Amino acid sequence: FTFLTGVTKIAKLSVFSKLNHLTDITMRPEFACMFGYTQQELEENFSAWLDAAVQDGVHAVLSKGGRLNRTGLLAEIKLWYDGFRFSDGAETVYNPISIGKFFLNHHTFKNFWFETGTPTFLVNLLKRNRLTVPDIDGTLLSESYLDTFDIAELAGTQVEDERILDLLFQTGYLTVDHLAATLPERLFKMRFPNHEVAYSFARELLSAYTAPRRPTKYLYELLSAAENGRTEDMVDVWKDFFAGLPYDIQIKAEKYYQSIIYTICRLCGMDILTEVATNKGRIDAVLDAGKHLYIMEFKLHKTADAALAQISEKAYAEKYLRPAREKGQIIHAIGINFCYAPEERTITDWKETFLP
């Protein structure tokens, strides 16, 4: 018996290969929890460490709940480091490396995923195929793609998007969410496992697009502007960011600009959704920044007035009015127009109204 493990699969080359009788257990349900901590294992085996964290006064980061009791601490750890699923319907597991580092670093919530390194060739493939975060999170992959893989396929000049997504699954950036369909073959919906992985991925991809500049300065400026309702400052940050994007990676499509704004906001840790369905259409983006809720419509080579008119005509804000009143939120309706002309390639027009 020989057990092989690693990042990528070994191709079963041919009937003459001595490695043509491997049994792939990657997505076998009986092995789904073999290499991560289950919820029960975390609570039972790290009980003393959890008690020490509570006693030391660990504070929430994502849930913004202040000092955490044991229940709150477990919920926060779950948001950061749980979520890996290796078979449909299987229990999710925690990244054991991140759990260990969390306790050894005095109960500090950090993106320890950075310390394991990000394969440069993987980021380059994503950049070459112009894949963005919305293209990846929630994508569908067929079982045939997950079952057949040859690393040599990634060496060509043309690599299918599905092959790159498969590699993201193998390297831990994507995991199984649920079985989406069974005919004509099994189709799985994929997602980022947790906040740590999603943030790390978005940051690396954004850094690749903006090299040699690092995106950190944008994040603090954007977060402060959004949380304090300074829409003009928020738009200025986006403009500054787009000004630094190399022309050869930009795409003449509304979706491209939408995805960049989505990625930047996600990196800030803000709650942003794209293509939000209503009874009259789809909202391009909804950004929840605490006291301020932004309903955004994007246009390409049109006008900000046209974008705002669409928000009004299709009553996009209707589903948010009552929840916003209950939470004391201010609702901003923002229309943004982009231009792909060589001398611009940025936000050229934007307007804002406030909704009751």
Side-chain angles (χ1 to χ4, degrees), residues 111-140:
N111 290 288
F112 300 110
W113 191 271
F114 280 135
E115 298 177 14
T116 65
T118 301
T120 303
F121 82 96
L122 176 56
V123 174
N124 289 337
L125 281 173
L126 291 162
K127 183 178 177 182
R128 190 171 68 187
N129 281 39
R130 296 179 177 179
L131 289 173
T132 61
V133 173
D135 294 326
I136 294 164
D137 193 17
T139 191
L140 296 174

Side-chain angles (χ1 to χ4, degrees), residues 20-225:
N20 68 330
H21 296 300
L22 295 174
T23 299
D24 183 4
I25 68 170
T26 302
M27 299 185 69
R28 294 269 290 272
E30 62 265 41
F31 300 104
C33 299
M34 190 173 180
F35 295 110
Y37 299 140
T38 64
Q39 187 68 38
Q40 182 179 351
E41 288 170 339
L42 174 71
E43 294 186 36
E44 290 183 355
N45 294 285
F46 292 91
S47 180
W49 293 83
L50 292 167
D51 291 339
V54 173
Q55 188 169 354
D56 287 349
V58 63
H59 282 68
V61 176
L62 295 180
S63 55
K64 299 179 181 179
R67 182 166 176 167
L68 297 169
N69 57 22
R70 189 184 178 94
T71 300
L73 174 61
L74 286 170
E76 186 83 2
I77 293 175
K78 190 175 186 67
L79 288 173
W80 278 84
Y81 308 122
D82 189 26
F84 293 93
R85 177 180 287 122
F86 298 104
S87 181
D88 175 55
E91 182 179 358
T92 58
V93 293
Y94 289 81
N95 180 344
I97 300 298
S98 297
I99 290 297
K101 287 184 175 291
F102 168 75
F103 288 120
L104 291 175
N105 282 270
H106 307 289
H107 325 120
T108 302
F109 288 105
K110 289 176 56 178
N111 290 288
F112 300 110
W113 191 271
F114 280 135
E115 298 177 14
T116 65
T118 301
T120 303
F121 82 96
L122 176 56
V123 174
N124 289 337
L125 281 173
L126 291 162
K127 183 178 177 182
R128 190 171 68 187
N129 281 39
R130 296 179 177 179
L131 289 173
T132 61
V133 173
D135 294 326
I136 294 164
D137 193 17
T139 191
L140 296 174
L141 276 181
S142 67
E143 190 171 28
S144 59
Y145 269 100
L146 295 172
D147 283 346
T148 58
F149 183 82
D150 188 346
I151 193 68
E153 295 181 35
L154 302 178
T157 56
Q158 296 293 327
V159 180
E160 293 180 328
D161 289 350
E162 287 79 4
R163 285 302 177 206
I164 300 176
L165 295 171
D166 185 8
L167 185 60
L168 287 172
F169 169 64
Q170 293 184 38
T171 51
Y173 286 97
L174 287 178
T175 196
V176 174
D177 186 67
H178 66 270
L179 181 64
T182 57
L183 294 173
E185 64 176 311
R186 296 209 300 171
L187 197 65
F188 296 97
K189 184 173 183 180
M190 315 298 285
R191 59 169 171 79
F192 293 121
N194 49 48
H195 171 75
E196 178 187 41
V197 175
Y199 180 89
S200 299
F201 177 82
R203 190 178 191 279
E204 289 298 328
L205 188 59
L206 205 58
S207 295
Y209 282 160
T210 59
R213 298 192 301 168
R214 303 298 289 180
T216 304
K217 78 180 189 75
Y218 300 110
L219 306 185
Y220 292 107
E221 293 173 4
L222 181 61
L223 181 61
S224 175

Side-chain angles (χ1 to χ4, degrees), residues 266-298:
R266 278 286 296 268
L267 279 173
C268 291
M270 290 189 288
D271 183 6
I272 182 169
L273 300 172
T274 59
E275 300 299 325
V276 180
T278 72
N279 61 330
K280 295 183 180 180
R282 289 184 178 274
I283 309 172
D284 280 344
V286 177
L287 171 63
D288 188 335
K291 293 182 179 179
H292 298 269
L293 183 75
Y294 302 88
I295 296 175
M296 296 181 282
E297 183 66 27
F298 305 120

